[in-house]
Amino acid sequence: MALPQPNQTATEERLTSLTMPDAGCTRKAREAALSRVREMGLPGRRDEYWKYTRPDTLVSAEAPPAAVFHNDEPMLFSEFDRLKIVFVDGVFSPDASDELELEGVKIDRLEDICCKDIHWAKELYGVLEARGQKPVQRPLAALNTAFATDGVAIHVTGKPSKPISLIYRHESETSDAILHHIVRVETDAEVTILENGPAASRFNKCMEIDIADGGTLHHIRAQGRDHQRRAATHMFTRMGSEAVYKSFTLTVNGVLTRNEQVVELTGDDAVAHVSGACVGDGDFHHDDTVFITHDAVNCESRQVFKKVLRNGATGVFQGKILVKEGAQKTDGYQISQSLLLDDDSQFLAKPELEIYADDVACSHGSTSGAIDETALFYLRSRGVPTEDATDMLTLAFLAEAVEEIEDEDLADVIVSRLKDWLARRR
Amino acid sequence: MLEINNLHVKLEEEEKEILKGVDLKVEAGKVHAIMGPNGSGKSTLSYVLSGRDGYEVTQGSATLDGNDLLELEPEERAAAGLFLAFQYPVEIPGVGNMTFLRTAVNAQRKARGEEELSAAEFLKDIRAKAKALKIDADMLKRPVNVGFSGGEKKRNEILQMAMLEPKMCILDETDSGLDVDAMKLVSEGVNALRDEGRSFLVITHYQRLLDHIKPDVVHIMADGQIVKSGGPELALEVEHNGYGDILAEVN
C-alpha cells in the first residue's frame, strides 16, 4: 500500500502549473520522470535532505518575483574568446547566441535531438538523473527532466579550441525557467563549459554529463548578481576510466541557491574535483549539496567549499563521499569552511563518509571561524589599513577554492569578481 | 625619537599590571638594547608600542617624534615610522609574500601623501634587498611565512624592515631560534640599515646578539620597570653573572 506523501498537495499544485512539452523522443523519459516526482513528492520542510534549506519557494506553483538587477559592468567572461549560447529567462536566443558550430564538438538544441535522430542524447536524457535518485531523492531534478522547456545537447568528440559558454540572462521579474542540458564527452576528448548569469526569477537547471574513458570536462560557473533570484541546480556526472571532471562555482548573490552535484566514478583512475566559493551578505542563503560515489579502483575525489558570510547570511554544506565495496585505493578529500564576518551569520555543515572498502584514504573537515586577529594585527602593523587587511585575509581564505580552477586567466576573473564584491561592501 | 614616560600597562581582561612605570628615551641614530629575565615585560612593551589589542594603558605616555603613539591605530603607527620585528612572525596562508609587502609599502606611502611605487620600481628594490638577506625568488612568491624555517621567518622580518624603511625599529627577540650563521646574516641586515636618522630598540635575552649589533645603551628590565641602564658593558655583566647580582643591587 502506498503511503500518502506528506507533501502531496504542494506537489500536485506545482504540477498543475506546468505543461509537459510535446517532445517526441524524450516523451518517455519525461513521463517516467513525472512518475518519479509523484512517487517521491516535492521536497518539504520535514525532508531530512532539506533540513537546512527551506524548499517552499522552490516548489511553489508560482515563482516569487525577483527584480532584475541592472548595472553597466560587462558580464563575466566577456573578454574570453568562447562560443556563446544565450538563454533569456530560460528561452534560447538565436540572435544573441553564436552559430552553434565549433570543431571537435556538436551542439544541438534539446528540441532538435529527436528530428535529427541523435542517439546518444536520447539515451542520456533523464538517465543520470534517474540513477542519481538513489540513495537520496532529488525530486526537483526529476521535475526538471519532466518539464524542461529548453536546453542543449553538447557532444564533445575532440578538443574544441575555445570554451562553450552558457549565458543566462534575466529580464522578466516573474520568469520561472526550467533548463536541461546533456553533455557527452567522448574518449580522450576535452572541453571547458562556462555558465554564468542569474537566468530567471526562479531557475531550475539540470545538467547530465557522461564522460567516457580518458575524457576531460572543466566546468566554471558564476551565478549572477540579481539578489532576489532563486535557483535549484543539479549536475549529474558519470565518469569512465581516467576521466577527469573539474567543476568550480562562484556565487556572489541570490536570496536562495541550492546547488547539487552528484558524481559517480564508475571507471578506474578517474579524478573528480568539485569546488565552490560563495560570498553572501544579508538575506542570502546558499546550499552546496554534494554526493560523490566511488565505484571503481584508484579514483580521486576532492570537494573544496569556502563561504564568506555576513549580516545574517546563511551557508549550508552537505557533502558525502560513498565508497562502494571494491573501490579500493580511493583517495577522497572533503573540506568545507566558512568565514563569518559577524555574529549574525551562520554556517551549517553536514560532512559524511560512508566506506565499504578497506584500502582507502578519505578525509573530511569542516570549520567555521572569524578573521584571524593575529594575522590582522600583523598586516596592520606593516601599515595595511584594517579594511584592506580584512579584504586580503578574506581573499586568502577563498583562495584554496579558487585555486581549484586550472586555467589561470579564468581564475583571475573569478578573483577580480570577489574583489569587486568586497569593494562594494565597504 | 622615541620617548616613553612612566608607562603603566595592564592586561585588558585581568587586573594584573605588567608595565609599572617604564621610562625610556631613544635618540635618533642610536641603538638601545633591553635585556631582562622572562616575564619582565619586554615583549609587552613592544606590543603596546605597536598597538596590539588586549592591553590597557592606565598611565603614562609614548611618543614618536612628538606624535602620541597611543592615540594611533597600528597602521598609523607604521606609517609614522614605527616597525616591530615579531618574535613569532605570523603565517598567512593565501597571501603572497610579495603582494603583501607591496601592499604594505604603498599603503604607508599613501598614508604619508607620497606617490605609490610602480610594480617595476618595487620589484627592483625588493630583489636587491632580498639578495642581501639571501632570500630567494621562491620565498618571495610563497605565502607569507608559510613553511618558512625559523631563520627564514626572521630574515623575512628584516626584509620587511628594509623595504618599509621605518625610523624606529623594535626587534623583539629576533635572535631566538637562530643558529650562529643565521644570526650573523640577520645582524648584517640590521647593521646595513643603521643610519643617523634611524633608531633601534633591540629586545633580547642574550648578549651574543649584541656582539653583532653593537648597542649604544643597554637597559635592564625587571618586573615591569627599567631598573638599570648603562653602556655595552652592562650586557657583558649579565652574560657573566646573570641577572641576580644586578637585581639584588637594585633592590
Side-chain angles (χ1 to χ4, degrees), chain A residues 13-27:
Chain A
E13 267 177 33
R14 176 61 177 140
L15 291 176
T16 321
S17 70
L18 292 161
T19 316
M20 190 180 291
D22 179 23
C25 66
T26 57
R27 188 79 197 183

Side-chain angles (χ1 to χ4, degrees), chain B residues 123-135:
Chain B
L123 215 58
K124 197 177 159 206
D125 197 16
I126 197 167
R127 278 194 183 137
K129 285 171 176 167
K131 198 177 166 198
L133 286 158
K134 297 205 166 96
I135 289 174

Side-chain angles (χ1 to χ4, degrees), chain A residues 102-106 155-164 189-192:
Chain A
L102 185 62
E103 204 181 321
V105 62
K106 182 91 175 60
H155 190 204
V156 189
T157 50
K159 295 185 176 175
S161 58
K162 53 187 175 186
I164 293 161
E190 180 168 0
V191 71
T192 297

Side-chain angles (χ1 to χ4, degrees), chain A residues 38-109:
Chain A
R38 287 221 157 91
E39 202 179 304
M40 296 184 277
L42 288 174
R45 289 187 67 180
R46 297 213 180 111
D47 285 329
E48 183 65 20
Y49 215 43
W50 290 83
K51 191 173 175 181
Y52 306 121
T53 298
R54 286 188 64 164
D56 319 29
T57 54
L58 295 173
V59 305
S60 58
E62 298 295 321
V68 176
F69 176 79
H70 293 284
N71 73 336
D72 299 331
E73 271 177 35
M75 278 185 90
L76 200 66
F77 309 129
S78 295
E79 63 273 45
F80 288 88
D81 184 22
R82 63 210 162 120
L83 185 129
K84 296 194 285 292
I85 304 175
V86 180
F87 296 86
V88 180
D89 292 304
V91 181
F92 176 71
S93 165
D95 294 342
S97 302
D98 293 330
E99 286 294 320
L100 303 184
E101 300 280 334
L102 185 62
E103 204 181 321
V105 62
K106 182 91 175 60
I107 303 165
D108 287 283
R109 286 184 66 190

Side-chain angles (χ1 to χ4, degrees), chain A residues 261-273:
Chain A
Q261 289 261 9
V262 182
V263 182
E264 206 182 345
L265 299 122
T266 59
D268 297 346
D269 306 304
V271 174
H273 293 186

Side-chain angles (χ1 to χ4, degrees), chain A residues 135-147:
Chain A
V136 190
Q137 297 181 341
R138 307 172 200 281
L140 283 169
L143 185 82
N144 181 303
T145 300
F147 295 102

Side-chain angles (χ1 to χ4, degrees), chain A residues 209-220:
Chain A
I209 302 167
D210 199 12
I211 310 178
D213 297 351
T216 299
L217 181 110
H218 295 275
H219 170 248
I220 291 130

